Amino acid sequence: MNALQFIETSIEDGIGFIFLNRPKQLNALNRKMISEIVSTMEAFDIDSQVKVILLTGNGKAFSAGADIDEMVNDSPITLELTNQFADWDRINLIRKPIIGAVKSFVFGGGFELALACDFLVAASDTQFSFPEVTLGVMPGAGGTQRLTKLVGKTKALEWILTAERIHVKSALHYGFINKIVAPELLMEEAVDFAQKIAKQPPLAVRLIKESVNKAVDHSLYEGMQFERKNFYLLFASGDQKEGMSAFVEKRKPKFTGG
Ligand code: CAA
């Protein structure tokens, strides 16, 4: 991997950390930064030391959106040739759970990046918004699709058309965040959350994420057929033998990831 310019990364206790690192620009996302985020997620995805990925921002905000300075002179042709959203598409292929720890501004592309996570732990000062309409454009990295699938058409259309700032309580009420925490406890709570998942058997975690994601885009029947195959597959794993034997033998399981 080339030297990272716009993010910082580390691995600790089964958690792969990604810190957006343009704090002076409120972590506005330029194209290189997205490419670094996605390449790091892919590297973590095949690193057996990492069980869960945790994404957050350095400085005050999670992210104030895509870098407007970079886009101001774009045309449909430069956008087509740059094909920047191909990087965003690769986030959908990450097999390990991704937790976003968000705070302050979560705007535009920053909101889309947050919605691409599997879980969101939000500091109580977080504000979510899609301001794109006020710039004469619209969300382009999945915002209209992901938010609508999560909260339904009524609120998604209202929020995207008004650019209203969404309060964390509303975010929790409509079910697109998992938890609200005090700002000073954000990382502690997010790590706690990550560790609950990191200690589960990795193959089961992987196939559960894959199966739940199927429910979003497929019919109930198709989703259930898919779930069943994954359920069967887990019976080939050592962790299934260990987990069930431990229950029968009344002891704690020791999962190895195999
Ligand atoms: N792109 C580029 N630079 C940005 C930025 C962005 N999205 N958001 C903030 N910055 C920069 C500011 O230009 C400023 O830089 P300078 O100090 O060099 O002037 C610095 O970050 C700090 O920002 P502010 O001084 O504006 O901070 P504030 O606290 O007064 O306001 C804010 C914060 C309300 C978030 C405001 O910065 C803002 O409105 N930012 C733009 C938000 C936005 O429109 N996001 C959507 C982008 S489009 C998109 O994301 C498309 C997509 O779907 C992919």
Side-chain angles (χ1 to χ4, degrees):
M1 201 185 293
N2 294 328
L4 297 171
Q5 199 181 344
F6 297 114
I7 64 170
E8 289 178 348
T9 70
S10 60
I11 299 174
E12 220 175 293
D13 287 341
I15 304 174
F17 291 89
I18 301 176
F19 298 90
L20 309 181
N21 194 30
R22 290 184 83 201
K24 284 198 189 122
Q25 293 82 16
L26 302 175
N27 294 322
L29 301 161
N30 60 35
R31 290 167 187 147
K32 171 117 190 334
M33 193 168 175
I34 288 294
S35 150
E36 290 181 2
I37 295 165
V38 178
S39 302
T40 302
M41 285 182 176
E42 289 175 340
F44 283 164
D45 214 27
I46 52 168
D47 184 335
S48 61
Q49 276 184 287
V50 176
K51 309 283 186 243
V52 176
I53 298 168
L54 204 164
L55 176 66
T56 191
N58 279 344
K60 174 185 171 184
F62 177 69
S63 170
D67 187 340
I68 300 170
D69 298 332
E70 195 179 50
M71 282 184 298
V72 65
N73 292 318
D74 267 328
S75 72
I77 301 304
T78 57
L79 290 170
E80 174 60 28
L81 291 175
T82 316
N83 195 21
Q84 71 184 79
F85 294 121
D87 280 340
W88 288 81
D89 291 341
R90 284 154 56 203
I91 302 176
N92 297 336
L93 302 177
I94 301 296
R95 313 295 298 265
K96 291 179 183 167
I98 307 171
I99 298 177
V102 296
K103 56 190 173 177
S104 180
F105 304 116
V106 183
F107 282 12
F111 194 1
E112 291 172 305
L113 185 60
L115 291 176
C117 296
D118 299 304
F119 309 93
L120 289 177
V121 177
S124 55
D125 66 351
T126 309
Q127 302 173 33
F128 300 89
S129 170
F130 279 123
E132 284 88 341
V133 70
T134 68
L135 301 169
V137 290
M138 60 184 283
T144 63
Q145 304 304 298
R146 287 193 201 277
L147 189 65
T148 307
K149 283 180 191 289
L150 282 164
V151 306
K153 175 185 162 181
T154 311
K155 288 312 277 188
L157 196 54
E158 176 189 324
W159 285 330
I160 298 170
L161 287 182
T162 61
E164 181 186 321
R165 294 189 185 184
I166 307 163
H167 190 271
V168 271
K169 283 194 183 146
S170 210
L172 190 65
H173 174 78
Y174 283 97
F176 70 83
I177 64 172
N178 296 78
K179 209 172 168 174
I180 302 172
V181 302
E184 64 278 14
L185 296 179
L186 177 64
M187 283 315 279
E188 198 178 309
E189 295 270 2
V191 165
D192 239 44
F193 195 96
Q195 270 163 357
K196 277 188 196 146
I197 298 166
K199 71 174 193 221
Q200 307 296 355
L203 278 169
V205 168
R206 183 185 173 105
L207 297 192
I208 289 167
K209 170 170 166 169
E210 189 185 41
S211 302
V212 170
N213 281 341
K214 273 280 178 255
V216 178
D217 288 327
H218 291 76
S219 69
L220 182 63
Y221 179 77
E222 288 169 306
M224 287 181 69
Q225 302 313 302
F226 188 83
E227 176 192 72
R228 197 155 306 154
K229 290 289 188 299
N230 275 344
F231 179 78
Y232 295 162
L233 186 57
L234 286 173
F235 280 75
S237 72
D239 282 347
Q240 174 270 331
K241 311 264 172 303
E242 169 62 10
M244 291 195 178
S245 307
F247 178 83
V248 171
E249 291 158 19
K250 301 193 188 307
R251 59 177 174 82
K252 274 206 177 319
K254 282 198 193 107
F255 295 123
T256 59

